[in-house]
Amino acid sequence: MSFKLNKSKVNDYIKISLIVILLAVEIVVCAQAYTLIGDEPLEFISLIVCCATLAVLEGVNQLAIKNFAAKMVFYGLDSALLLTICVLTGNSFLAALYCIVLTGCYMSVDRFRDRSVLFGTSCFLFVVSFIVGWVIQNAGADIYNSVVEILSGVLFGLLAILLDYIIVQFLIKFYNTNRELREAVKLADEKKAEAEAAHEQLTITKVFEERNRIARDIHDNAGHSLTTVIMQTEAAKLIIEDNPAEAKNRIISANIQAKNALEQLRESVHLLAGRQQIRPLREELGEIIAQTIDGTQIRARYDISEVKTSVEQYRYICNTVKELLANGIRHGNATAFYIELKQAGENINLLVSDNGSGVAGEVKEGYGLKGIRERAEALGGGCRYASEAEEGFETEIYLPVYKEEE
């Protein structure tokens, strides 16, 4: 069975223990005084009353009073009773009584400065009480012996009070430090649990976001390509008898789109299965270009350097090259392409140009071109389109160099 203590309970247990010790010392003082002043019943009764009152006041002060000013009032009453006991008993156990009372007071004070002031005041009161009690009990004694005994008694008592002060200060400091460490560890554990929960939630969120993104890619890219395939084959079917050459071009374009759609679907399935692309980007782009021009009269030159990219940049570059090749063939009737991928300073630069029909005037972004630009910007880069009528189409894209997190 676990037994946990907080600061309040520890203080209460210690205060109760001090009260019990105080009662025990008072019993010893009274027993000793009985042998000395037994023939003076009034003095003995006064001593008992003072001891009982001191115990009651100390109990109320330690267990019931919370206000610091009120505690100091009670401490003043305790000091007066200690002086009376000292006068009646001749300094018997005065230092012990002071240490017991002071220990309880120290524990009721939070600030070190206040405890130090209490210690200094108590030392002064102890000296006064000791001297007054000794003088009253030893009136007429030899002055030299009196001075020696007073000095030795005062020094012994002050030493006891000092040791009590040092020990209590150390214990309070030790307990407070230990408690702060426990609270810090508890807080750290709570923060760790919160961080783990947040990380788990973030991981789940990222999984859903990634799945949604892949679903959008399938819908936007593969869906768009398959729609184009259907349109191209339907158009080819309608004109195959009247214009076989044009029908052939449309079938070639549809074939390219179908290959691209198949590749995009394969990539999406790999991502959903948790398998990342491991083929070098240079090889992947070479394969994309080969699949696009395979079985056609289209020519392509490329200068592709191996650059380090993130997974998102890798997918973006591959999808963009597919999109630009398909656009050049489908919309610009291009028969030749030039693709370049290099690192320049802090950027990765991608250039794709063709010899298609081009665009007269300002380039207007359709669905495909707008998506390419927006995805580049989302990755921290940008793109530029340039074209003139019958001069082909050129796309320049730059992305920041990928730096792995340490």
Side-chain angles (χ1 to χ4, degrees), residues 22-49:
L22 177 63
L23 288 172
V25 173
E26 287 179 337
I27 291 173
V28 173
V29 170
C30 291
Q32 185 187 60
Y34 181 76
T35 62
L36 299 176
I37 57 175
D39 56 341
E40 298 289 341
L42 183 60
E43 291 186 15
F44 185 69
I45 293 173
S46 300
L47 176 63
I48 293 176
V49 171

Side-chain angles (χ1 to χ4, degrees), residues 162-177:
L162 175 61
L163 288 176
D164 175 71
Y165 172 76
I166 294 173
I167 293 172
V168 173
Q169 292 297 319
F170 172 78
L171 292 176
I172 291 175
K173 180 66 175 178
F174 176 80
Y175 176 79
N176 288 337
T177 302

Side-chain angles (χ1 to χ4, degrees), residues 7 24 43-44 57 75 90 103 130 141 164 260 279 317 341 347:
K7 182 179 180 181
E43 291 186 15
F44 185 69
L57 288 178
Y75 178 66
T103 300
F130 189 92
D164 175 71
N260 287 338
R279 184 157 55 176
I317 292 172
L341 179 68
N347 288 330

Side-chain angles (χ1 to χ4, degrees), residues 285-350:
L285 291 178
E287 181 66 20
I288 291 171
I289 295 169
Q291 289 179 357
T292 301
I293 66 176
D294 185 34
T296 70
Q297 300 299 317
I298 299 172
R299 294 174 292 113
R301 292 189 305 111
Y302 55 88
D303 181 9
I304 300 174
S305 301
E306 189 57 54
V307 296
K308 194 170 186 62
T309 63
S310 65
V311 175
E312 292 79 7
Q313 290 174 331
Y314 185 106
R315 286 201 301 264
Y316 170 72
I317 292 172
C318 292
N319 290 337
T320 298
V321 171
K322 294 175 189 176
E323 181 78 13
L324 293 174
L325 290 175
N327 285 347
I329 296 171
R330 186 169 65 249
H331 300 301
N333 297 316
T335 59
F337 290 88
Y338 176 70
I339 300 98
E340 181 182 85
L341 179 68
K342 292 185 179 297
Q343 179 176 331
E346 295 297 317
N347 288 330
I348 298 172
N349 295 334
L350 172 65

Side-chain angles (χ1 to χ4, degrees), residues 312-313 316 371-382 398-400:
E312 292 79 7
Q313 290 174 331
Y316 170 72
I372 290 173
R373 178 180 57 78
E374 289 178 347
R375 287 194 292 273
E377 292 173 352
L379 292 171
Y398 66 91
L399 300 173

